Amino acid sequence: MAAGWIEPLTKVLAGARAFRGWSLRAAERDDEDFLFALHRDAMRGYVDQTWGWDEAWQRAHFAATFAPARQAVIVHGEASPRDVGRISLTRHWRKIFLRDIELLGPERNQGVGTAILNAVLALARDSDRYVELRVLRCNPAQRLYARLGFRVIDDDGARLRMRAL
């Protein structure tokens, strides 16, 4: 069952110049290995700095919490499309919680992450919700989040909880 937010998010993204040639598709159970490899590629350095990366624990935790219904795979290219990222979020009655947004290294810094975040913020505004996320303190993505209007509302020493209204 596809997440009910993928189609509305795709519609908002249709107007984003940085998202031309990109698309979203609902994740499937068969995507788990790719999405874990993506997670490792995107997060290993930050997790290692914070707690230390334990491959067996990370793999088991990912498998135990992997829910295809709340994931979308980010696809790049039209002629020969490639899976290059993921976004995972959950909608609650007052907030949208952005669980993850990850792209393979070569796909980063092209504006697509910013386009997706802006689309999530637009969906939140349209449904009278706020957006919340957690980011590791050492992850420079927090600067992007701050530029887009997220503010720190909690700091547990390792992670920042940020919110955009």
Side-chain angles (χ1 to χ4, degrees):
M1 176 178 184
W5 51 266
I6 295 173
E7 185 177 331
L9 186 62
T10 299
K11 285 180 181 174
V12 174
L13 284 164
R17 175 174 285 183
F19 204 71
R20 289 187 189 143
W22 299 73
S23 59
L24 299 176
R25 68 168 179 80
E28 300 171 359
R29 180 59 55 192
D30 290 347
D31 292 316
E32 184 178 345
D33 289 339
F34 164 72
L35 294 177
F36 177 71
L38 168 69
H39 176 69
R40 182 192 309 117
D41 177 67
M43 297 301 297
R44 184 176 186 152
Y46 306 126
V47 171
D48 209 27
Q49 285 180 53
T50 305
W51 299 293
W53 182 272
D54 178 326
E55 181 74 14
W57 187 92
Q58 289 288 336
R59 186 65 180 111
H61 179 70
F62 191 91
T65 60
F66 179 63
R70 69 172 182 232
Q71 315 265 335
V73 176
I74 302 167
V75 180
H76 189 201
E78 294 169 358
S80 53
R82 302 181 283 67
D83 295 343
V84 297
R86 77 174 174 140
I87 179 172
S88 175
L89 57 85
T90 52
R91 292 187 296 182
H92 304 275
W93 75 279
R94 291 285 300 136
K95 74 178 174 184
I96 294 175
F97 185 73
L98 179 61
R99 297 182 167 287
D100 294 291
I101 182 167
E102 298 169 340
L103 291 164
L104 290 173
E107 307 298 330
R108 296 179 198 142
N109 301 312
Q110 296 184 36
V112 72
T114 300
I116 292 171
L117 287 165
N118 279 325
V120 170
L121 290 167
L123 284 180
R125 279 190 304 274
D126 291 348
S127 61
D128 198 29
R129 293 179 170 117
Y130 58 88
V131 179
E132 203 168 279
L133 58 83
R134 289 187 189 272
V135 60
L136 290 174
R137 185 174 254 292
C138 63
N139 188 335
Q142 66 180 280
R143 291 191 296 272
L144 169 62
Y145 302 143
R147 266 197 330 270
L148 296 177
F150 286 85
R151 299 294 171 250
V152 175
I153 60 169
D154 189 39
D155 180 348
D156 69 9
R159 294 170 297 193
L160 304 174
R161 187 164 52 124
M162 300 180 80
R163 180 181 293 166
L165 300 176

